Amino acid sequence: MTRVCVIVLNWNGWRDTVACVASLLQMDGDNFTVLIVDNNSSDDSVRHISQAFPTLKLLHAGSNLGFGGGCNVGIRYALQQGAEYVWLINSDATVDRGALSALVHVADHDQSVGAVGSVVFEAEDTARVQLWGGGRVNLWLGRSTHCLAAGAVDFVSGASMLLRGTALNEVGLFDQERFFMYWEDTDLGFRLRRAGWKLTVSKNSKVWHNQSSSLGFGNPLLDEYAARSCFRFLRRHAPVPAVSVFLALLRMLVKRVLVGRPDRLRAVWKAFRTA
């Protein structure tokens, strides 16, 4: 039985996915398997990935389930196969040879750890830290910020997240009904901590991530997804949800007025109305 199932979610990005999986297969150790989940791509990804890695398991989500929903397809399969840990790694990332072993070392050392993050570097500037494992959340303003140095994290980033199977069995998987895109890893981190599980970061686990968006930065649709997920997150976790949602909405609207983007302002307002 494999201890760790490494899950890579692909959506219309087979070139990145092939590069990611190739780096995973070069990692130290052999007590892991790589599982690829395709989120109903329309760019012939399945054929390209299958040709590149004919011996690897490739699951079909059937439709685009978003990040959390697509990952859940892989997580359920991994847990059914008896995996002790699952490692979620973004398809547009590559990893150090010791990235996984460093994560598992930290988790094995403390059985109360539910999730472990990596130190994620910029792919284009390989010495520059993009995020140190995860981030912190201001529950009043609805603002999430990446940590850039060692310290406590409120959540572990889905860019590289080792999850303990027993913790997932206790708190559940990603909430794909509420969070189609964005804030799903934050919500899971808060649920893990609320249940008493620790979140931590392995300084020796190194990942290089091409920080890009499938929708493109500044895209109103991105604003709509992110804002809607933020409001839903605050309604679940903020101490006074109505106040936090109002302050977050005000902050987002003012910012988009100042940058002169009425299309993005309308997207945020739509997200608020439909959250």
Side-chain angles (χ1 to χ4, degrees):
M1 182 184 298
T2 303
R3 287 195 78 200
V4 185
C5 181
V6 185
I7 299 171
V8 182
L9 178 66
N10 175 79
W11 181 69
N12 290 336
W14 63 267
R15 292 177 180 84
D16 284 339
T17 298
V18 167
C20 174
V21 173
S23 73
L24 293 170
L25 297 178
Q26 296 298 313
M27 291 191 302
D28 298 333
D30 58 3
N31 203 7
F32 68 91
T33 57
V34 177
L35 171 66
I36 305 165
V37 179
D38 185 74
N39 230 354
N40 200 34
S41 296
S42 57
D43 67 344
D44 210 16
S45 279
V46 170
R47 181 176 66 84
H48 287 288
I49 293 170
S50 297
Q51 287 179 347
F53 308 107
T55 63
L56 295 185
K57 184 74 174 179
L58 195 158
L59 298 180
H60 304 265
S63 61
N64 185 358
L65 303 177
F67 178 79
C71 287
N72 282 350
V73 171
I75 294 171
R76 290 190 188 98
Y77 177 86
L79 295 181
Q80 288 169 0
Q81 299 300 308
E84 184 178 348
Y85 297 107
V86 294
W87 182 28
L88 308 180
I89 182 74
N90 270 14
S91 62
D92 55 357
T94 56
V95 307
D96 180 70
R97 292 180 66 94
L100 176 57
S101 59
L103 292 171
V104 173
H105 176 78
V106 170
D108 282 346
H109 183 72
D110 186 346
Q111 296 298 310
S112 66
V113 168
V116 189
S118 303
V119 181
V120 180
F121 297 88
E122 297 282 356
E124 299 298 323
D125 185 358
T126 56
R128 181 181 178 186
V129 174
Q130 186 181 107
L131 67 92
W132 193 281
R136 305 297 300 273
V137 178
N138 183 320
L139 286 174
W140 291 103
L141 297 177
R143 177 179 289 145
S144 173
T145 56
H146 286 166
C147 295
L148 297 177
V153 295
D154 290 336
F155 66 94
V156 171
S157 170
S160 174
M161 172 191 286
L162 182 79
L163 293 162
R164 189 184 300 274
T166 51
L168 289 172
N169 286 329
E170 179 181 348
V171 307
L173 311 187
F174 289 117
D175 187 344
Q176 65 190 76
E177 299 301 323
R178 281 186 174 87
F179 307 102
F180 177 80
M181 211 171 168
Y182 304 112
W183 291 84
E184 61 282 289
D185 51 0
T186 315
D187 172 72
L188 180 58
F190 271 66
R191 286 190 282 125
L192 284 167
R193 292 192 299 119
R194 184 172 296 166
W197 293 97
K198 296 178 183 176
L199 309 181
T200 190
V201 181
S202 170
K203 66 180 181 180
N204 296 318
S205 178
K206 299 177 182 179
V207 170
W208 289 268
H209 181 222
N210 182 16
Q211 189 174 25
S212 61
S213 169
S214 57
L215 296 175
F217 290 116
N219 187 318
L221 189 57
L222 182 153
D223 278 358
E224 183 182 337
Y225 281 130
R228 183 183 296 115
S229 291
C230 176
F231 299 142
R232 290 176 175 178
F233 172 87
L234 292 173
R235 285 175 178 154
R236 171 177 280 180
H237 297 287
V240 187
V243 172
S244 295
V245 168
F246 172 77
L247 292 175
L249 175 63
L250 183 63
R251 175 180 62 81
M252 293 177 191
L253 294 177
V254 168
K255 179 179 178 180
R256 283 148 185 83
V257 168
L258 292 176
V259 298
R261 289 292 302 271
D263 55 339
R264 296 179 64 189
L265 187 148
R266 288 191 295 270
V268 169
W269 182 250
K270 181 181 179 182
F272 171 71
R273 295 290 300 273
T274 57

